Every structure is written in C-alpha cells, then in structure tokens.
Amino acid sequence: MAKIIAVYNIKGGVGKSSSAVNFAYLCAQKGKTLLWDMDPQGASSFYLKSKTDIKGGLKAMVKEKGRVVAVVKSTAYENLDILPADYSYRQMDIELHKARSPKQFIGKLLKPLAKAYDYIIVDCPPNLTQSTESLLNATDLLLIPTIPTVLSIRTLKQLREHIRKELKTTIKVRAFFSMMDRRKKMHDEIYHEYCEKKNTIFFKTLIPYASAVEKMGLHQAPLATFERSSPANKAYVALWEEIDKVLGKLK
Ligand SMILES: Nc1ncnc2c1ncn2[C@@H]1O[C@H](COP(=O)(O)OP(=O)(O)OP(=O)(O)O)[C@@H](O)[C@H]1O
Ligand SMILES: [Mg+2]
C-alpha cells in the first residue's frame, strides 16, 4: 500500500505546488510515485505538462469502478504518474456529502491507486474544507510549507490544534520553511527560533526564495531537470533526504 504524503497549508501561495512537484520527482527515484493535483487551479498539472480535464470529472471518478485508475496519466519522468486536476474538484465537498462515510471519502477514492503505487504525493488546495479533512484522514505524512512570518506560524499552530482535536492521531505532521528570504531579519529570526527548538516539527533544511523555483513555470518541469546545481535544487534534495528518513520510520 502506498504511503500518502500531503503537501498542505491552509494558506495560499506558500510553495505547496512547487514543492509537491519537486518532491514527486525526487520520490520517483525511490519508488513508483503518483502525484495527485487535488487543487482545481491545476498548478502542478501545469508544471508536469498534463491536461487538466478529466472526462466525466469527479462524479465519474466516484461512481465508475476503475475510473480513478483510468484517468491517471504518465509524465515525461520515469516512475512518475499524475492524477491531474479537474475543474469539477471545486465541488468535492458536494460529492463527499453524498458518500456513506464522508470522513473516509478520499481514502476510498484513492484506494485502488494506493494498491498500485509506492507513494502518493498530494498537492492540496489552500483551504480547510471537509474534503481536505478527509484527505488528512487518509494521509500518512503531512508536509506543511511555511513562510517564516508571524502570521504563517500562527496559522500553523491553528492547523496543528485542529488536527489534534478533530482528526486521526496517527498522521505524522512535519513542516519546513519555504520561500525564505535571508535578507529579512524576521525570516532569519523565526527560522532559528523554530528550527533550534527541542522536538521541533520543522526540518532543518529551508527552501530559499529563489528565481530558479519561479522558472518552473517557464520550463514546466521539476527544478532538478533544468537547474540541477542551483542552491534551491540542492535545498530540495537535502530536504527530501530529511523527509525520506521520516518516511522510513512510518509503519
Ligand atoms: N522558493 C521559492 N522562491 C521564489 N518563488 C517561489 C518559491 N516557491 C514558490 N514560488 C513562487 O510563488 C508562487 C506560489 O507558489 P506555489 O504555486 O508553489 O504555491 P502554492 O502554495 O501552491 O499556491 P496556492 O495556494 O495558490 O496553490 C509561484 O509563482 C511560484 O513560482
Ligand atoms: Mg498550489
């Protein structure tokens, strides 16, 4: 059964899609990997040059047996497939409410895929809805990209509190600093404060604010494929090594 890794934050524009694509590319060197672009915006589908229309949309994926497997597409990269975004995902909560067990809705939807892959990485939309909650219920490892600002840390605390109170307890929650600008004193202070804490949920490796990452939009490709030796790609590789260690300890 695949390990399900969600790249998620309630906040928008924090580097979820960029990170999900880079993680998926690195993960594919390790095992059979599926990236699910759960966000109707379709950013990670775009990065992997995948069309974002699924015939019959979410309804067909829910109703027709085998449909969710049939709509998976291969990418230009070995071992990496994509379940693309579709505009109908915006109505996911409506479909979820029709289900017999809404909390297990996403887990059930992904089940046939979990059997076929070693890893499923999910690029989540920036919201806290019943669909994202249902995804978190099915998730093994939650990765939260966090910009080192006061409000981002506040949102992270709210999210952890929500998970603790409302969701399953077996989910492993880890965060990393994303889009960090070392010229900003506050970014540096927050990074040190939270990374040096005992039992911190933050990985040591930070993703710098770098134009190389933005160029993923121009190349429509993972960073490693066009700027392999850039500091930002080296950071993604080092961060993935840290994540991989956590994955190795998951049951
Ligand atoms: N490390 C980085 N350095 C510079 N720009 C970045 C970095 N990471 C992401 N970006 C840019 O910031 C914007 C938002 O990034 P991305 O789409 O990955 O965030 P997101 O959290 O998925 O956003 P959304 O919440 O809208 O889905 C994009 O234009 C992207 O190119
Ligand atoms: Mg996104």
Side-chain angles (χ1 to χ4, degrees):
M1 278 301 221
K3 295 268 179 279
I4 300 181
I5 304 155
V7 185
Y8 171 61
N9 193 324
I10 304 168
K11 274 198 180 299
V14 298
K16 295 181 292 297
S17 301
S18 312
S19 300
V21 168
N22 290 326
F23 292 153
Y25 177 82
L26 294 166
C27 189
Q29 334 265 314
K30 182 181 155 74
K32 210 166 171 239
T33 303
L34 176 77
L35 177 75
W36 182 25
D37 186 354
M38 193 187 173
D39 185 350
Q41 288 185 86
S44 49
S45 307
F46 174 79
Y47 280 158
L48 290 178
K49 294 188 179 147
S50 177
K51 280 192 188 149
T52 52
D53 51 329
I54 292 173
K55 210 169 161 223
L58 181 66
K59 262 194 187 142
M61 281 164 66
V62 174
K63 278 201 183 127
E64 294 169 27
K65 206 167 175 248
R67 184 89 191 128
V68 74
V69 177
V71 296
V72 163
K73 294 184 171 79
S74 57
T75 69
Y77 312 103
E78 208 183 331
N79 261 345
L80 178 58
D81 291 344
I82 181 166
L83 175 58
D86 188 82
Y87 199 50
S88 63
Y89 289 178
R90 74 193 191 283
Q91 289 169 330
M92 209 171 278
D93 274 6
I94 298 171
E95 290 302 320
L96 175 141
H97 282 294
K98 291 182 200 159
R100 237 179 266 146
S101 43
K103 283 189 177 165
Q104 274 87 50
F105 176 74
I106 299 290
K108 283 194 174 153
L109 186 70
L110 291 181
K111 202 170 177 186
L113 295 167
K115 285 182 185 158
Y117 289 88
D118 300 316
Y119 303 94
I120 298 177
I121 297 185
V122 187
D123 178 18
C124 299
N127 56 34
L128 184 56
T129 62
Q130 279 158 318
S131 300
T132 41
E133 279 193 12
S134 174
L135 169 74
L136 295 180
N137 268 323
T139 293
D140 298 295
L141 175 61
L142 165 60
L143 298 174
I144 311 171
T146 305
I147 300 176
T149 63
V150 174
L151 278 184
S152 294
I153 295 286
R154 185 172 168 271
T155 304
L156 178 65
K157 284 182 182 155
Q158 287 171 336
L159 177 59
R160 289 190 71 194
E161 192 59 16
H162 182 76
I163 290 170
R164 196 179 61 76
K165 282 191 186 150
E166 307 284 341
L167 300 174
K168 72 166 190 182
T169 50
T170 52
I171 185 170
K172 185 111 191 139
V173 182
R174 302 298 300 265
F176 60 94
F177 285 114
S178 165
M179 301 168 83
M180 167 143 167
D181 187 347
R182 282 224 123 126
R183 292 166 306 180
K184 291 184 178 161
K185 197 166 167 245
M186 188 181 69
H187 279 209
D188 217 45
E189 281 172 2
I190 291 181
Y191 169 78
H192 284 290
E193 183 184 344
Y194 284 89
C195 277
E196 286 160 14
K197 263 187 187 168
K198 259 196 179 170
N199 299 324
T200 182
I201 64 160
F202 277 95
F203 289 113
K204 289 270 173 293
T205 309
L206 62 92
I207 304 301
Y209 191 90
S211 57
V213 182
E214 285 181 300
K215 282 190 205 155
M216 287 173 67
L218 291 176
H219 293 266
Q220 287 186 261
L223 189 53
T225 64
F226 64 92
E227 289 231 15
R228 195 173 195 89
S229 50
S230 64
N233 187 54
K234 285 182 181 161
Y236 268 117
V237 171
L239 178 56
W240 180 252
E241 279 170 15
E242 284 196 71
I243 294 167
D244 198 24
K245 281 189 191 138
V246 176
L247 283 172
K249 286 183 195 151
L250 289 179
K251 280 179 205 131

